[in-house]
Amino acid sequence: MLKRLLLLLTAALIILPSLSGCGYNQIQKNEEGVFAAWADVEATYQRRADLIPNLVETVKAYASHERETLESVTNARAKVGQVNISADTLSDPAAMQKFQAAQGQLSSAISRLLLVAERYPDLKASQNFLDLQHQLEGTENRINVARQRYNKSVQTFNSSIRTFPNSLTNKFLLHLERKEPFKAEAGAEKAPRVQF
């Protein structure tokens, strides 16, 4: 009986340290990192969406006959509000692509709005417009940084569920799917053409 108890105790001392290397907790931490990074992406996009009405109103005061451009920005912002990705759908490539397409349309509409502003010297000199433009530029930079951090978190998570021994833990216990990173927009490989 004592011999059997010593054998079980020895086996437990050998097996318990090896369980810490199964990666269960690390995989969970990595997935939480992805969710946190995604929340940062959403927050920066929300900041941009919040700035747009102020920018549109400021431009509208100076360029009321640029109605089509102003409406396209407003419509693009509304579409962005309709396309949401939750933490549960981060592994769905189609949902991620739809989200990125809506954000791309909004970016394009904002670019057109800023081009309209170039035609109005009084607007360009307006302190409100300049402040909004700087905030928007800063927000676009924040969006880029948040995307990069999200992609890094996704890479860490995806690697953790695909490498041994964590892959076994995921396969038999967790059953988590790869998360989708942000990808470049279609046509991003071509440099924009500027004409004067």
Side-chain angles (χ1 to χ4, degrees), residues 187-188 190-194:
K190 297 176 187 173
R193 189 172 171 199
V194 178

PDB file of all heavy atoms in Angstrom, residues 187-188 190-194:
ATOM      1  N   GLY A 187      -6.577  47.313 -54.128  1.00  0.00           N
ATOM      2  CA  GLY A 187      -5.940  48.396 -54.859  1.00  0.00           C
ATOM      3  C   GLY A 187      -4.893  49.151 -54.058  1.00  0.00           C
ATOM      4  O   GLY A 187      -4.281  50.086 -54.567  1.00  0.00           O
ATOM      5  N   ALA A 188      -4.674  48.763 -52.808  1.00  0.00           N
ATOM      6  CA  ALA A 188      -3.716  49.473 -51.961  1.00  0.00           C
ATOM      7  C   ALA A 188      -2.280  49.300 -52.446  1.00  0.00           C
ATOM      8  O   ALA A 188      -1.409  50.098 -52.116  1.00  0.00           O
ATOM      9  CB  ALA A 188      -3.828  49.012 -50.520  1.00  0.00           C
ATOM     10  N   LYS A 190      -1.226  49.793 -55.351  1.00  0.00           N
ATOM     11  CA  LYS A 190      -0.931  50.804 -56.366  1.00  0.00           C
ATOM     12  C   LYS A 190      -0.815  52.169 -55.697  1.00  0.00           C
ATOM     13  O   LYS A 190      -1.673  52.545 -54.887  1.00  0.00           O
ATOM     14  CB  LYS A 190      -2.040  50.856 -57.423  1.00  0.00           C
ATOM     15  CG  LYS A 190      -2.181  49.579 -58.206  1.00  0.00           C
ATOM     16  CD  LYS A 190      -3.336  49.670 -59.160  1.00  0.00           C
ATOM     17  CE  LYS A 190      -3.590  48.320 -59.818  1.00  0.00           C
ATOM     18  NZ  LYS A 190      -4.802  48.333 -60.619  1.00  0.00           N
ATOM     19  N   ALA A 191       0.211  52.902 -56.058  1.00  0.00           N
ATOM     20  CA  ALA A 191       0.385  54.243 -55.507  1.00  0.00           C
ATOM     21  C   ALA A 191      -0.693  55.163 -56.078  1.00  0.00           C
ATOM     22  O   ALA A 191      -1.041  55.059 -57.266  1.00  0.00           O
ATOM     23  CB  ALA A 191       1.763  54.773 -55.859  1.00  0.00           C
ATOM     24  N   PRO A 192      -1.254  56.053 -55.263  1.00  0.00           N
ATOM     25  CA  PRO A 192      -2.267  56.978 -55.798  1.00  0.00           C
ATOM     26  C   PRO A 192      -1.654  57.921 -56.825  1.00  0.00           C
ATOM     27  O   PRO A 192      -0.497  58.307 -56.701  1.00  0.00           O
ATOM     28  CB  PRO A 192      -2.753  57.729 -54.556  1.00  0.00           C
ATOM     29  CG  PRO A 192      -1.742  57.518 -53.516  1.00  0.00           C
ATOM     30  CD  PRO A 192      -0.999  56.274 -53.859  1.00  0.00           C
ATOM     31  N   ARG A 193      -2.431  58.262 -57.808  1.00  0.00           N
ATOM     32  CA  ARG A 193      -1.964  59.159 -58.867  1.00  0.00           C
ATOM     33  C   ARG A 193      -2.439  60.563 -58.558  1.00  0.00           C
ATOM     34  O   ARG A 193      -3.639  60.806 -58.392  1.00  0.00           O
ATOM     35  CB  ARG A 193      -2.537  58.689 -60.207  1.00  0.00           C
ATOM     36  CG  ARG A 193      -1.965  59.405 -61.361  1.00  0.00           C
ATOM     37  CD  ARG A 193      -2.413  58.767 -62.650  1.00  0.00           C
ATOM     38  NE  ARG A 193      -2.013  59.601 -63.749  1.00  0.00           N
ATOM     39  CZ  ARG A 193      -2.528  59.535 -64.950  1.00  0.00           C
ATOM     40  NH1 ARG A 193      -3.443  58.637 -65.198  1.00  0.00           N
ATOM     41  NH2 ARG A 193      -2.112  60.323 -65.881  1.00  0.00           N
ATOM     42  N   VAL A 194      -1.508  61.489 -58.486  1.00  0.00           N
ATOM     43  CA  VAL A 194      -1.837  62.870 -58.167  1.00  0.00           C
ATOM     44  C   VAL A 194      -1.676  63.702 -59.430  1.00  0.00           C
ATOM     45  O   VAL A 194      -0.640  63.634 -60.089  1.00  0.00           O
ATOM     46  CB  VAL A 194      -0.908  63.407 -57.045  1.00  0.00           C
ATOM     47  CG1 VAL A 194      -1.237  64.859 -56.750  1.00  0.00           C
ATOM     48  CG2 VAL A 194      -1.020  62.552 -55.811  1.00  0.00           C
TER      49      VAL A 194
END
